[in-house]
């Protein structure tokens, strides 16, 4: 606990510097907080006040979310109050002589100014002017704030207003519908000239004329010109981000229950996939398709205005625009969001009801919001951040569930494309160009040819030819090669192409969307194809796409059976979208990026992957711009990773970093962690890659489990280092009959590899445990065989009877043979100092292993009255370097047992005592 005390102590001085943190009992809280929650909030308040970067650890079950909410919002409330007082002082009426007092410069200052070569009265005049300007600016802000508060108050009070707005909208919809009908009737009578025109839907597939940025300096971008007048002042706010939408929704519900729930302006941000209310767009399923379709509809809306002006000259085909993207409706939604705290589900329901887009409406609410809740990617990926209108300057950022932060940043900025995707994109694009050559402008053709050339070169780098079926081309030199970005560009002979321009073209012209529409129309077996010369070419495309599709499906089956249907849809739908991601990664890269050429069996199965070695580059900006950053999690140990790989690499001054770690709320006697060094037949437990496949090791593991299942009631969760090893052990036990022995005591469940089956297995597992505890027969519960880093080791709670004992088989070291990991290790050894005599790469491997262990074993204790035993099967856990990386609250209570007998006796005593107490 000393680190916590020291950290908190270090902070109090920081807090004192900026005004004291509220004392005990000063933090509004829905119930009497635990002492550790009080400490947590005081430390958090101090870190925010002093503008620190804090690493906060508070085990799950200790009410971390509430402590974060109440600590941070208490700080924000005090900060706003101070701002108001300062404002009042500066805007104080002149008659109280305040103006007089402010006007007279202190003599020392006047003298100093004079000595700098400018008379004292000039300095005084300048200072006065500055103060006057500041006062004018504050006055303006005050008026703006007053307006906003009045508007929101009116909405709060006046329900009539809501209904009036709703009625107005439905009348407008009706009018629009009637207008549309009359237009259609008229056009039918007019007999449109159909000669040169492709049919109505196909017109949308053609790329619009493209101007690059240099030519477009005069006209500002698409959306910007509309948004100037809505540029609203960003108030000081807290950005809270977590990993999944369900974690964010849970957090918003906690805010609703907290004392701040009534008067906090909170907005939830999410992806279009979560927020879109246009059914036609939602149906596209995959995020990339939804994004592109949405962007296209907006573009159509902007073009519509200019089209209407040209109506007389040339009749245009009507392009679809989104009925929910209406400025007035979104303003209304924005105010509704700010008036009352809503989670994503409530936001979507509101969007449907008010016919306003929640995705854009919620963005309009950012400037005035006090708390913005958003997923990791939106905050950590700079292009996404700026597109969403998020400004971090002088704001607070809290990153929760941050134990995987380093990996998350790496993943967000990495991208992979397979050989079959490259070939498919090339073929589709070529057919597209042939079909619409006469209709495409020169600029479009030039860029399409450049993209085709890039695709051809990428496939050549994998050892293939873009014009042959990738599933039938065998790769001569299999294996994995890593290249620096420059080497990759030179060797693939694309260093003469401006990738920035190509990438920008893809983004602005929405080419992948057009291509998707084209393939949807002509590529699928269901599309009816007219017969003329043009379309004979297309039926060839159909056949080719079909062979590719079959090829890629086979390849999918070989590579990863866990690829979900949605992913399949994306693969067959729009390979160019994936490739744009790869291009964008290449253009954003610096010297810390690598390209991995992964050559497997066939060209189709091979892939190019962009890998980011130094995630700190992308984190540096966040830390520089923000007033304070808090990285929080249930298990942040080992913390060294964050300090060295993330913060010091991002240029954070070590003095700015502060750590806080608190114990658990459960009494010490409710947890029994044991490191077991040998099994029932005295076999030493050491699960290295060399020894873990030995029959005697697998037998010994089985014996330990059999013994445990005799004394542990309810659920036992056993974690293996990998799916492969779990399968191997399971098969071995089946063969030796050990599985049947286990099954007499506990029903056995295995973690599925497919994400969509996890829920089902968990439900069955929980039902079985409940049934057994009620029936009281020979079956005492269930045994769940899980995998470290799988679906069960994170984000799933095994509270109470679901996890009375958690077992960790061996040490889940990552695969050192993976080229990516090897490159990362080499890079670390080159760029990082040795710590305590250990090479940074060695430390990385240990930290990755222990992070995974801590995540898995932390699943069992979820609240104050919970109890569980934890068993670590491997004598290496007792080594000091490893042992010290366990979470403090577990480490303090851990016993190291050289022999199985005494460990078993302890376990029996622990569970018997607990069962009797229940």
């Amino acid at each position: 606990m000393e680190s916590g005390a020291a950290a908190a102590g270090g902070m109090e001085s920081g807090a004192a510097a900026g005004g004291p943190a509220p004392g005990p009992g000063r933090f509004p809280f829905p119930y009497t907080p635990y002492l550790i929650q009080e400490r947590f909030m005081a430390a958090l308040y101090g870190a925010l006040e002093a503008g620190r970067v804090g690493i906060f650890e508070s085990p799950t079950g200790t009410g971390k979310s509430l402590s974060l909410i109440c600590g941070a919002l208490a700080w924000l409330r005090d900060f706003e109050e101070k701002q108001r007082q300062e404002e009042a002082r500066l805007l104080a009426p002149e008659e109280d002589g305040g103006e007089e007092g402010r006007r007279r410069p202190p003599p020392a200052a006047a003298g100093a100014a004079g000595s700098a070569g400018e008379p004292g009265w000039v300095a005084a005049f300048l200072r006065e002017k500055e103060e006057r300007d500041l006062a004018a600016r504050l006055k303006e802000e005050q008026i703006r704030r007053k307006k906003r508060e009045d508007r929101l108050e009116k909405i709060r009070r006046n329900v009539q207003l809501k209904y009036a707005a709703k009625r107005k909208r439905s009348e407008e919809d009706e009018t629009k519908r009637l207008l549309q009908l009359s237009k259609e009737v008229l056009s039918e009578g007019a007999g449109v000239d159909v000669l040169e025109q492709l049919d109505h839907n196909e017109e949308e597939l053609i790329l619009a004329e493209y101007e690059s940025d240099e030519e477009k300096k005069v006209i500002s971008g698409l959306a910007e010109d509309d948004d100037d007048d809505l540029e609203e002042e960003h108030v000081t706010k807290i950005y809270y981000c977590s990993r999944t939408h369900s974690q964010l929704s849970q957090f918003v519900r906690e805010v609703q229950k907290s004392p701040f729930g009534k008067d906090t302006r909170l907005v939830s941000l999410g992806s279009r996939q979560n927020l879109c209310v246009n059914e036609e767009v939602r149906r596209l399923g995959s995020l990339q398709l939804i994004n592109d379709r949405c962007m296209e509809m907006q573009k159509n809306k902007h073009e519509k205005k200019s089209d209407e002006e040209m109506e007389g000259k040339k009749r245009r085909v009507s392009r679809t625009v989104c009925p929910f993207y209406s400025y007035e409706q979104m303003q209304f939604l924005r105010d509704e969001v700010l008036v009352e705290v809503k989670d994503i589900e409530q936001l979507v329901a509101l969007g449907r009801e008010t016919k306003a887009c929640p995705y854009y409406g919620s963005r309009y609410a950012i400037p005035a919001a006090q708390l913005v809740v958003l997923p990791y990617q939106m905050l950590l990926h700079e292009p996404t951040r700026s597109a969403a209108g998020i400004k971090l300057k002088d704001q607070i950022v809290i990153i929760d569930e941050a134990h995987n932060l380093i990996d998350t940043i790496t993943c967000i900025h990495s991208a992979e494309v397979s050989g079959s995707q490259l070939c498919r994109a090339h073929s589709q694009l070529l057919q597209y160009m042939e079909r619409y050559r006469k209709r495409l402008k020169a600029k479009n053709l030039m860029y399409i040819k450049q993209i085709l050339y890039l695709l051809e070169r990428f496939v050549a780098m994998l050892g293939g030819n873009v014009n042959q079926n990738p599933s039938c081309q065998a790769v001569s030199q299999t294996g994995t090669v890593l290249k620096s970005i420059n080497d990759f560009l030179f060797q693939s002979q694309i260093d003469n192409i401006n990738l920035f321009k190509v990438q920008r073209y893809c983004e602005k012209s929405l080419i992948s969307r057009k291509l998707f529409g084209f393939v949807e129309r002509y590529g699928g077996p269901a599309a009816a194809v007219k017969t003329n010369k043009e379309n004979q070419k297309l039926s060839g495309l159909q056949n080719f796409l079909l062979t590719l599709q079959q090829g890629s499906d086979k390849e999918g089956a070989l590579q990863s059976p866990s690829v979900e249907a949605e992913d399949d849809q994306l693969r067959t739908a729009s390979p160019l979208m994936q490739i744009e991601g790869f291009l964008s990664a290449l253009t954003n890269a610096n010297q810390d990026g690598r390209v991995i050429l992964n050559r497997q069996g066939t060209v189709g199965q091979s892939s190019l992957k962009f890998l980011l070695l130094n995630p700190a580059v992308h984190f540096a900006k966040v830390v520089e711009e923000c007033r304070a950053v808090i990285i929080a999690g249930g298990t942040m140990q080992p913390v060294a990773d964050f300090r060295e790989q993330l913060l010091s690499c991002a240029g954070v001054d070590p003095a700015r970093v502060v750590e806080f770690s608190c114990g658990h709320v459960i009494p010490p006697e409710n947890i029994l962690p044991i490191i077991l060094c040998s099994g029932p037949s005295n076999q030493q437990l050491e699960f290295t890659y060399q020894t873990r496949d030995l029959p005697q090791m697998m037998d010994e593991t089985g014996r330990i489990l059999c013994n445990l299942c005799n004394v542990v009631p309810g659920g036992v969760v056993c974690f293996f280092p990998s799916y492969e090893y779990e399968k191997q052990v399971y098969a071995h036990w089946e063969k030796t009959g050990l599985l049947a022995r286990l099954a007499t005591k506990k029903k056995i469940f295995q973690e599925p590899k497919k994400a969509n089956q996890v829920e089902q297995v968990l439900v069955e597992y929980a039902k079985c445990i409940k049934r057994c505890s009620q029936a009281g027969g020979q079956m005492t519960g269930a045994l769940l065989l899980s995998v470290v880093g799988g679906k069960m080791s994170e984000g799933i709670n095994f509270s109470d009877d679901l996890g009375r004992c958690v077992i960790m088989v061996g040490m889940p070291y990552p695969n050192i043979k993976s080229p990516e990991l090897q490159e990362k290790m080499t890079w670390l050894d080159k760029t990082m100092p040795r710590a305590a005599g250990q090479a940074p790469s060695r430390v990385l491997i240990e930290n990755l292993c222990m992070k995974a262990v801590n995540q898995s074993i932390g699943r069992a204790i979820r609240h104050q009255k919970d109890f569980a035993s934890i068993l670590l099967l491997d004598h290496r856990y007792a080594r000091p370097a490893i042992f010290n990386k366990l979470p403090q609250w577990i480490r303090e209570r851990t016993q190291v047992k050289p022999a199985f007998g005494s460990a078993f006796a302890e376990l029996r005593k622990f569970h018997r005592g607990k069962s009797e107490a229940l």
Side-chain angles (χ1 to χ4, degrees), residues 672-692:
L672 175 65
I674 290 178
I675 293 172
L676 189 59
C677 302
S678 58
S681 63
N682 287 329
Q683 167 75 44
Q684 190 193 35
L685 300 176
E686 182 173 358
F687 294 83
T688 60
Y689 282 114
Q690 292 76 33
T691 59
R692 68 183 195 183

Side-chain angles (χ1 to χ4, degrees), residues 250-262:
Q250 205 176 330
F251 179 80
V252 174
R253 283 194 288 279
E254 292 273 355
V255 176
Q256 288 168 331
K257 287 189 299 200
S258 80
F260 295 92
K262 287 279 175 283

Side-chain angles (χ1 to χ4, degrees), residues 3 30 48 56 166 294 316 319 325 361 409 490 507 522 540 558 611 714 727 738 759 786 789 898:
S3 71
L48 299 182
F56 276 61
K166 240 195 223 170
C294 174
R316 287 293 297 253
R319 291 166 178 268
Y325 188 72
I409 299 174
F490 280 117
E507 205 178 295
Y522 294 114
L558 277 174
L611 175 69
K727 270 207 189 73
L738 208 144
E759 192 57 39
S786 302

